[in-house]
Amino acid sequence: MPRSTWKGAVSFGLVTIPVKLYSATEEKDVSFRQVHPADGGRIKYKRVCEVCGEEIPYGEIAKGYETADGRMVILEASDFNDLPLPTAKQVEIVQFVDVDEIDPAAYNKAYFLEADGPGAKPYVLLREALKRSGKSALVKVALRSRESLALIRAEDDLLMLQTLLWPDELRDGAFAAPPDDVTATPAEVDMASMFIDQLSAPYDPTQFTDSYREALEAVVAAKLGEAPAPEAAPEEEGTGDVVDLVAALKASVEAAKKRREAAAKAG
């Protein structure tokens, strides 16, 4: 069972729900170490003070905040622990919202909420009320040395907390939009819609795997002599500039049909 990352309470009006917070995700990426290729030795870094030149042990390193005029303010652990934040241990629901009102780009990290001690009954109460309303609770919470907006939503038998980025943390992507004079014809949109229809299916994440991680693990196994060297993937020939989009999309639709038929026969 994972360790809880936060312990506090959710304030639901005059009802208090003691809870524990657990991360709902974990990274599965391949990890590397920086090494000397001649002998495989790990590369180590020293923490050296730029003023006195001495190497500083990790336990003696403090956090400093540099002001705009160059002054350095040293902060102690107690400065963070004693911040006058009501959200440090108490999550207050400020309003209820429809999930589709939230920009998907604002979603940050997901957590499981677990009822703590006598919190089981009010936990179930909030869960069932959210399910009936179809809404999520918007809250403010202080986690990992920062305060965030977050959503509490009902997911099957659980309450989940999803932290959100602040509005000023979302970049304006208008610069990436194509020029206004670039348009698609109705025929092109119709053919693109047919391609979308051919590849439309219920979302099942178990059908997908991390091919990059699998390929790296195969290379590592080969270097250890535990498996034959994997064959390199064939390079696809470039098609150059697509002049006839309708023809290209029509060919894509036909290819998608064949893939679906082959998958159906294999199944």
Side-chain angles (χ1 to χ4, degrees):
M1 181 176 177
R3 294 177 57 185
S4 64
T5 59
W6 184 88
K7 184 176 180 180
V10 176
S11 177
F12 178 36
L14 297 178
V15 177
T16 298
I17 311 172
V19 293
K20 294 179 180 178
L21 202 66
Y22 299 86
S23 177
T25 61
E26 59 179 332
E27 294 289 338
K28 291 289 187 178
D29 198 7
V30 178
S31 60
F32 298 95
R33 296 188 184 278
Q34 292 185 317
V35 297
H36 182 200
D39 54 22
R42 296 181 185 179
I43 304 299
K44 295 184 177 181
Y45 292 90
K46 294 182 178 181
R47 302 177 180 88
V48 178
C49 174
E50 67 176 359
V51 176
C52 65
E54 294 184 6
E55 183 177 356
I56 310 300
Y58 181 78
E60 296 180 13
I61 296 176
K63 290 185 177 180
Y65 179 86
E66 187 173 3
T67 63
D69 57 7
R71 290 176 295 168
M72 187 67 68
V73 179
I74 307 300
L75 298 172
E76 308 291 340
S78 59
D79 294 320
F80 294 97
N81 296 334
D82 298 335
L83 285 175
L85 277 178
T87 54
K89 289 297 180 183
Q90 187 84 8
V91 178
E92 183 177 1
I93 297 174
V94 294
Q95 69 181 82
F96 295 92
V97 298
D98 293 320
V99 174
D100 57 10
E101 296 180 61
I102 308 298
D103 183 348
Y107 287 122
N108 192 9
K109 189 168 177 57
Y111 296 89
F112 298 125
L113 285 173
E114 178 190 39
D116 188 23
K121 177 69 174 180
Y123 182 104
V124 171
L125 171 62
L126 178 57
R127 184 193 68 195
E128 295 305 307
L130 289 176
K131 284 183 178 180
R132 178 180 294 185
S133 68
K135 294 183 180 293
S136 295
L138 185 67
V139 304
K140 287 176 70 177
V141 59
L143 297 172
R144 299 185 181 278
S145 303
R146 61 170 293 171
E147 187 177 62
S148 300
L149 285 175
L151 288 178
I152 294 178
R153 57 185 175 86
E155 184 73 25
D156 297 326
D157 293 334
L158 291 174
L159 288 176
M160 296 195 67
L161 184 141
Q162 181 92 43
T163 57
L164 304 173
L165 298 173
W166 292 103
D168 60 359
E169 293 178 312
L170 299 178
R171 291 176 174 169
D172 183 358
F175 70 91
D180 292 338
D181 59 353
V182 177
T183 60
T185 67
E188 291 167 346
V189 176
D190 288 343
M191 192 57 68
S193 298
M194 289 180 62
F195 181 64
I196 291 172
D197 290 340
Q198 284 297 320
L199 290 185
S200 294
Y203 175 57
D204 180 5
T206 63
Q207 298 299 309
F208 305 96
T209 58
D210 185 346
S211 301
Y212 182 80
R213 175 158 52 104
E214 292 171 353
L216 274 178
E217 289 172 346
V219 170
V220 171
K223 286 185 174 291
L224 291 173
E226 299 174 352
E231 295 184 5
E235 293 186 8
E236 295 185 4
E237 294 184 3
T239 58
D241 294 334
V242 178
V243 177
D244 191 340
L245 286 175
V246 173
L249 285 168
K250 186 176 181 179
S252 300
V253 170
E254 292 302 321
K257 284 182 179 178
K258 291 179 180 178
R259 286 199 301 271
R260 279 205 142 181
E261 291 170 358
K265 290 179 180 179

